[in-house]
Amino acid sequence: MHHSAHRSTDGPLAGIKVVEFAGLGPGPFAAMLLADAGADVIRVDRPAGPVDGGALTRGRPWIGLDLKTPEGLDAARELVRRADVLIEGFRPGVMERLGLGPDDCRADNPGLVYGRMTGWGQDGPRAREAGHDINYLALTGALRSIARRGQAPVPPLNLVGDYGGGGMMLAFGIVTALLERHRSGRGQAVDAAMVDGVSLLMTGIWSRAAQGRWSGEPGTNDIDTGAPFYDVYATADGGYMAVGSIEPQFWARLLGGLDLDPTTLPGQWDRDRWPETKQALAAAFATRTRAEWTAVFADLDACVTPVLSLAEAPADAHLRSRRTLEQRPDGPQPAAAPRLDRTPLQAREAGTVDEALQRWGVPVTAGAR
């Protein structure tokens, strides 16, 4: 862990100042990614303080400002004037009404990269509507594609909209705009919409569909639980094993590990008989415990792994060896990623907001909480 005193020399984004207008989910995630990369982030929150806390707010101090008061607004403007990046996740028009829209901010600070995080985007018929991850997934076709055959769609937590299609895309957009600023000296607005990001994450599926390799019926394709070689199977003790034995050599090793004779089964790609093949695999997996199957497949290299719970993941030997999850007093939290070999990303100590304001050259009394 590094203290804020080292911040200026640490990480690939060292020296980049970010003002984050606190929101929920994707905006904080983008700010967390930038902070992990060494950016100097100050989070502007409501005077009562952060709602979410935890890992999502790591690495940056917060200042409580009431943006509905002239003092709070002035203090926010002081920060924006000195920032390289602004992150906000309000509905379109809210920042403009506060006098903190892109045009207002860039009048004072032409180099500002203005990051905007929404579900629907800054324009379009739904732009001013409320929504959540599940709604953005619903409209893009992603949600309907995640289902077992003949069953209702399963929302994939809020990983795909909020975090993958949302915060991560916003962070990527911000970094590209910062790179472009080296050439032009000018910032620009980044309109990160979850419907766009989710659609982009679906590129592989759209490609398959265009090539006629994707059936519109969910749960009948090779990677959507339609295929016997790409699914989860229950074990004798109520655990599960994950099977991703797509290539023929992995399929052969899977059957070997299960002690199934390939000549008694339909061919791996005999789609019409996939349900039958799946039943044979399910029956085999049900005969032993998860621990027993884990031992069987440990050295077979068949793309078969135990399905671990959140409580079990931190103890996994591979994740432990890479320190993928860091133990904190309030429980495990994910380490910064990806790994850079010279200027590593890392979860940083937030330091105090007074130290941060001092570094930024903002009077510490500004809109004091």
Side-chain angles (χ1 to χ4, degrees), residues 232-241 258 281-294:
V232 292
Y233 290 96
T235 55
D237 56 342
Y240 292 92
M241 296 296 288
L258 290 171
L281 267 60
F285 272 112
T287 61
R288 295 193 187 182
T289 65
R290 190 187 70 179
E292 288 172 319
W293 286 124
T294 301

Side-chain angles (χ1 to χ4, degrees), residues 18 33 44 47 58 64 98 105 145 147 149 164 169 173 177 179 194 201 211 248 266 296 299 302 306 313 333 364 368:
V18 180
L33 294 177
V44 173
R58 74 187 183 194
L98 287 168
C105 292
S145 305
R149 186 174 198 164
M169 293 301 303
L179 278 170
M194 285 183 249
L201 292 177
Q211 294 161 359
V296 166
D299 301 313
Q333 65 170 253
V364 170

Side-chain angles (χ1 to χ4, degrees), residues 171-182:
F172 171 65
I174 285 170
V175 171
T176 59
L178 283 171
L179 278 170
E180 190 278 339
R181 193 177 71 164
H182 282 299

Side-chain angles (χ1 to χ4, degrees), residues 213-256:
R213 295 192 297 124
W214 193 257
S215 147
E217 190 186 349
T220 64
N221 295 287
D222 54 356
I223 56 167
D224 66 358
T225 73
F229 50 79
Y230 202 89
D231 205 348
V232 292
Y233 290 96
T235 55
D237 56 342
Y240 292 92
M241 296 296 288
V243 171
S245 313
I246 299 176
E247 291 79 3
Q249 68 274 26
F250 300 136
W251 176 247
R253 291 173 200 156
L254 167 69
L255 298 184

Side-chain angles (χ1 to χ4, degrees), residues 18-25 27-28 31 41-54 56-58 60-69 71-73 75-76 79 87 90 98 100 353 357 366-369:
V18 180
V19 58
E20 167 199 4
F21 287 86
L24 294 172
V41 186
I42 296 179
R43 180 178 159 106
V44 173
D45 219 314
R46 61 201 78 198
V51 181
D52 38 17
L56 212 51
T57 54
R58 74 187 183 194
R60 54 224 201 256
W62 63 275
I63 181 169
L65 297 179
D66 183 351
L67 299 178
K68 296 194 172 75
T69 67
E71 303 77 41
L73 209 50
L79 292 170
I87 289 176
F90 300 113
L98 287 168
L100 289 169
V353 73
L357 293 172
R369 325 192 268 297

Side-chain angles (χ1 to χ4, degrees), residues 296-323:
V296 166
F297 285 101
D299 301 313
L300 281 183
D301 206 24
C303 305
V304 179
T305 43
V307 176
L308 303 184
S309 69
L310 276 183
E312 294 170 319
D316 175 74
H318 184 77
L319 301 187
R320 273 216 329 254
S321 144
R322 285 184 62 81
R323 298 189 174 87

